[in-house]
């Protein structure tokens, strides 16, 4: 009778450890990426976050067993975190939160293990008004061990009303780490209010091009004052004409 409750408590403890490790791993990943750290640094933070809860629970009796369980929980939590972010980044064309396999590159921050790599800042833009005077800038940076070759720059043609100026960034070679160029983007027509499109930057990385998400400025609905209906004027005979919609 006592073994079953003990097993249930042990299973509940392990489940809580896994949940805590996954949460800490996700938080570590998001915080480091928010600070513009590289995907590799985010992976280190994810591993450290995954190890926090198991390390805390390793203290106490039966320490070798607890350490073994802690290592298992850490690896499982890190695998769940990595898999979740990888699926999200690949399916949504987002900047990789964690390093993706060498055959999967592209997105705003896609990179290969060795060779050219790209980073764009910011990875998405909300345009606040119309016209070139309201243009926002996208900075393209080489962060790899080999030169980054920028190809054509274009807009996703499915949504009209957006414009850009590559500013010498198209068909450019960024030879050194930290070399950068700038692209200006803006909205031209009110029809872009709330619409989204993508700036597409072709480069020499394997896989897909690099994307920057653009959102048009919100266009408020026009305000039309209701017209007050004036009372009909009496006819020369002194009678008021009947309403056309009345029943008599």
């Amino acid at each position: 009778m006592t073994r079953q409750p003990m097993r249930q408590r042990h299973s509940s403890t392990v489940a809580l450890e896994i949940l805590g490790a996954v949460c800490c791993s996700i938080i570590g990943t998001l915080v480091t990426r928010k600070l513009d750290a590289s995907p590799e640094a985010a992976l280190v933070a994810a591993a450290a976050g995954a190890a926090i809860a198991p390390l805390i629970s390793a203290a106490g009796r039966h320490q070798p067993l607890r350490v073994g369980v802690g290592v298992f929980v850490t690896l499982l939590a890190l695998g769940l975190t990595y898999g979740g972010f990888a699926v999200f980044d690949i399916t949504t064309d987002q900047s990789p939160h964690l390093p993706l396999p060498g055959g999967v590159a592209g997105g705003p921050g896609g990179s290969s293990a060795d060779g050219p790599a790209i980073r764009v800042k910011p990875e998405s833009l909300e345009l606040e008004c119309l016209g070139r005077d309201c243009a926002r800038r996208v900075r393209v940076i080489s962060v790899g061990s080999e030169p980054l070759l920028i190809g054509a720059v274009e807009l996703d043609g499915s949504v009209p009303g957006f414009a850009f100026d590559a500013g010498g960034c198209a068909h450019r070679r960024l030879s050194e780490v930290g070399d950068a160029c700038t692209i200006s983007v803006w909205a031209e027509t009110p029809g872009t209010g709330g619409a989204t499109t993508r700036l597409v930057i072709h480069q020499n990385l394997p896989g897909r091009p690099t994307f920057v998400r653009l959102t048009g400025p919100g266009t408020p609905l026009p305000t039309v004052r209701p017209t007050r209906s004036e009372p009909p004027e009496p006819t020369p005979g002194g009678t008021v004409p009947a309403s056309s919609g009345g029943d008599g």
Side-chain angles (χ1 to χ4, degrees):
M1 293 294 293
T2 59
R3 289 186 177 181
Q4 190 67 20
M6 288 181 63
R7 288 179 180 177
Q8 291 178 352
R9 285 199 300 270
H10 181 67
S11 299
S12 300
T13 301
V14 173
L16 288 175
E17 287 181 14
I18 294 174
L19 179 61
V22 171
C23 290
C24 291
S25 183
I26 292 173
I27 292 172
T29 303
L30 295 176
V31 169
T32 50
R33 294 300 285 138
K34 190 68 174 178
L35 297 175
D36 285 334
S38 66
E40 291 75 14
L43 181 60
V44 173
I52 290 176
L55 285 176
I56 293 174
S57 63
R61 298 172 58 188
H62 311 294
Q63 193 170 31
L65 177 61
R66 289 174 177 267
V67 170
V69 173
V71 172
F72 168 76
V73 169
T74 300
L75 294 177
L76 178 61
L78 183 58
L80 291 173
T81 301
Y82 183 89
F85 277 115
V87 171
F88 175 79
D89 294 336
I90 291 171
T91 56
T92 60
D93 289 332
Q94 296 293 316
S95 170
H97 291 80
L98 300 171
L100 294 176
V104 182
S111 64
S112 56
D114 291 310
I118 185 173
R119 182 176 298 170
V120 291
K121 291 184 179 181
E123 297 168 3
S124 62
L125 275 175
E126 292 186 5
L127 305 174
E128 299 175 352
C129 54
L130 298 175
R132 183 154 186 168
D133 291 340
C134 299
R136 301 284 302 275
R137 293 181 177 181
V138 176
R139 195 160 182 255
V140 181
I141 310 166
S142 173
V143 293
S145 59
E146 295 182 10
L148 174 66
L149 304 180
I150 305 296
V153 178
E154 58 185 346
L155 287 168
D156 187 337
S158 59
V159 179
F162 292 88
F164 73 95
D165 179 3
C169 211
H171 305 288
R172 181 169 176 178
R173 178 188 179 94
L174 302 178
S175 301
E176 303 294 334
V177 175
D179 286 354
C181 59
T182 302
I183 303 170
S184 299
V185 293
W186 64 93
E188 288 190 322
T189 62
T192 56
T196 60
T197 190
R198 297 186 302 181
L199 180 71
V200 184
I201 305 170
H202 298 272
Q203 22 68 5
N204 61 328
L205 277 70
R208 301 166 299 173
T210 298
F211 302 107
V212 178
R213 184 182 177 89
L214 306 177
T215 303
T219 305
L221 295 174
T223 55
V224 179
R225 290 186 178 182
T227 56
R228 266 182 21 183
S229 57
E230 298 293 337
E233 296 183 1
T235 63
T239 59
V240 176
S243 171
S244 60
D247 295 331

